[in-house]
């Protein structure tokens, strides 16, 4: 029997990694019987490998040209690995950016939104959750996310987390170089919001400044329980 795949979408810096350290254990303890595996897109295409590809090709890391030549294959391999784990009966948590699920991707001679392609590839055994960091008491939509003043605090939090990632080494600094703009998170979040507005079945999990990874993991668990009961 195939397991399910929980795709956790979230921009770098939003807190996926820390929350996932606890979510898998919570799922195993409270809900699921089958083993839960947490995958990571950087296991399929590591920072060191991306840096090597950039050095050998002469392309700017994370540029559109680089993404088309290298990142795309890394993402394809990552998704394949997650499907293979699920086919062996494991339940899989699949974190990654995946912000723009409306992007058109090839399907035979036609094209479909990435979200629909994922459903087909995973035989409809995939549920997408978006981890979103937003201010308290302010409704953020794709229409107001860029101009809402309260988002400035969130942007500063994300940049602080990216600063902390720099301790991982030069490869990480290079990978995060394109994430240092003043509107970095808002631009990525806008893509997530457009995706969930186009596909209402996507589950948004809203987190707020000051919440701990434990609190975020509990919110994700609660959202998953709701989906199981639906």
């Amino acid at each position: 029997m195939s397991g399910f795949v929980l795709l956790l979408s979230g921009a770098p810096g939003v807190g996926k990694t820390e929350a996932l350290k606890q979510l898998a254990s919570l799922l195993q303890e409270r809900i699921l019987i089958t083993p839960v595996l947490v995958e990571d897109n950087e296991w399929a295409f590591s920072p060191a490998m991306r840096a090597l590809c950039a050095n050998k090709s002469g392309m700017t890391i994370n540029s559109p040209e680089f993404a088309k030549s290298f990142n795309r294959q890394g993402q394809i391999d990552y998704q394949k690995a997650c499907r293979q784990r699920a086919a062996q009966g494991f339940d899989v948590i699949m974190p990654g950016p995946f912000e723009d699920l409306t992007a058109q991707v090839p399907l035979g001679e036609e094209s479909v939104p990435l979200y629909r392609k994922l459903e087909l590839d995973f035989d409809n055994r995939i549920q997408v959750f978006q981890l979103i960091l937003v201010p308290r008491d302010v409704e953020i939509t794709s229409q107001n996310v860029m101009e809402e003043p309260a988002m400035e605090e969130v942007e500063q939090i994300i940049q602080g987390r990216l600063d902390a990632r720099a301790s991982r080494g030069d490869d990480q600094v290079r990978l995060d170089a394109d994430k240092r703009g003043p509107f970095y998170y808002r631009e990525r979040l806008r893509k997530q919001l457009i995706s969930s507005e186009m596909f209402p079945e996507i589950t948004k999990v809203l987190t707020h400044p000051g919440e701990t990874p434990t609190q975020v993991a509990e919110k994700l668990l609660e959202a998953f329980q709701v989906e199981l009961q639906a």
Side-chain angles (χ1 to χ4, degrees):
M1 176 182 294
S2 295
F4 75 87
V5 176
L6 187 164
L7 189 157
L8 182 59
S9 160
V14 80
K16 297 188 301 296
T17 301
E18 292 302 315
L20 286 178
K21 290 177 181 178
Q22 302 180 49
L23 178 61
S25 295
L26 291 174
L27 284 169
Q28 196 81 71
E29 291 169 3
R30 303 185 192 178
I31 301 178
L32 302 173
I33 298 174
T34 53
V36 179
L37 298 180
V38 178
E39 293 291 325
D40 192 307
N41 61 307
E42 291 191 345
W43 297 345
F45 192 35
S46 69
M49 179 58 75
R50 278 179 274 181
L52 179 61
C53 289
N55 290 337
K56 293 294 185 180
S57 68
M59 297 179 189
T60 301
I61 201 165
N62 286 346
S63 65
E65 181 186 22
F66 183 89
K68 183 177 181 179
S69 299
F70 299 109
N71 285 12
R72 181 177 297 174
Q73 187 60 50
Q75 185 181 64
I76 290 171
D77 292 344
Y78 175 49
Q79 293 174 26
K80 182 179 179 180
C82 291
R83 290 198 303 273
Q84 290 175 330
R85 305 293 191 274
Q88 294 176 62
F90 295 101
D91 294 324
V92 179
I93 302 176
M94 176 182 169
F98 294 103
E99 294 106 326
D100 186 4
L101 296 177
T102 70
Q104 294 291 312
V105 296
L107 181 63
E109 297 181 357
E110 302 180 355
S111 62
V112 296
L114 176 57
Y115 179 74
R116 297 302 182 206
K117 181 66 162 54
L118 286 168
E119 287 185 316
L120 291 170
D121 287 347
F122 286 87
D123 195 26
N124 291 310
R125 294 187 63 80
I126 188 170
Q127 178 65 43
V128 178
F129 290 75
Q130 292 178 332
L131 187 60
I132 291 174
L133 180 62
V134 291
R136 295 181 186 275
D137 305 320
V138 179
E139 182 180 2
I140 300 298
T141 68
S142 63
Q143 286 73 44
N144 72 356
V145 64
M146 300 303 294
E147 293 81 20
E148 170 55 52
M151 282 298 300
E152 180 61 33
E153 178 192 6
V154 175
E155 197 79 57
Q156 291 174 2
I157 290 171
I158 295 291
Q159 289 298 316
R161 292 175 179 176
L162 294 177
D163 288 341
R165 282 159 54 120
S167 63
R168 299 178 187 175
D170 292 342
D171 289 342
Q172 188 67 57
V173 171
R174 290 183 65 189
L175 287 170
D176 286 344
D178 65 334
K179 304 175 180 65
R180 308 304 281 182
F183 291 91
Y184 154 71
Y185 180 64
R186 279 167 280 193
E187 290 169 349
R188 305 284 287 253
L189 176 54
R190 182 172 180 272
K191 293 178 181 180
Q192 279 188 292
L193 295 170
I194 290 173
S195 294
S196 59
E197 289 162 6
M198 179 175 288
F199 304 109
E201 60 267 41
I202 292 174
T203 300
K204 291 192 296 185
V205 179
L206 305 184
T207 65
H208 305 292
E211 291 183 339
T212 66
T214 300
Q215 291 172 312
V216 174
E218 289 283 358
K219 283 189 171 184
L220 286 167
L221 181 71
E222 180 180 357
F224 183 72
Q225 288 175 313
V226 170
E227 287 299 324
L228 281 182
Q229 295 166 5

